[in-house]
Amino acid sequence: MVQAIENLTALVTRLVASGPHPRLDGWDQLLVDVLDARPVPGYADLLSRYVGERLELGVPGALVEGLPPGTVIRLRAKLAGGRAMAEKQPPPGTFATEPPH
């Protein structure tokens, strides 16, 4: 059995598309362009390699409800079971959105 690595990366993304997550109730699955990534102190950084690429990202639906494509989303996410997942309950100041320009 493989031990899960405690990991967390601060991401800046641009929303391409969104829809209900295929397996997790209350979550959305976003398709995002990863604009920037920074390590979070004390955690392994497993998502920085996606900067400049498109990524599927699971996010609690309540956080992204109604966001249009082009929205910039700043959040922290981890790699879990081979899938990128946002924090379920992000601490204050770690999740923000900016409307498309």
Side-chain angles (χ1 to χ4, degrees):
M1 186 167 173
V2 176
Q3 177 75 21
I5 298 172
E6 281 295 317
N7 71 94
L8 197 61
T9 304
L11 299 176
V12 180
T13 66
R14 180 174 289 114
L15 180 61
V16 176
S18 64
H21 196 282
R23 289 180 307 285
L24 298 173
D25 283 343
W27 286 68
D28 282 3
Q29 183 164 294
L30 309 185
L31 185 62
V32 298
D33 289 330
V34 180
L35 306 176
D36 192 30
R38 302 272 185 237
V40 174
Y43 294 91
D45 172 10
L46 301 182
L47 294 174
S48 284
R49 67 180 181 233
Y50 293 101
V51 171
E53 296 184 21
R54 203 156 267 186
L55 179 69
E56 287 186 344
L57 178 64
V59 180
L63 295 176
V64 294
E65 186 175 345
L67 294 180
T71 299
V72 172
I73 306 170
R74 298 172 187 274
L75 67 142
R76 301 190 318 179
K78 64 183 177 179
L79 201 57
R83 305 204 181 275
M85 302 294 293
E87 291 178 297
K88 186 174 184 177
Q89 296 179 327
T94 62
F95 188 96
T97 61
E98 299 169 19
H101 302 297

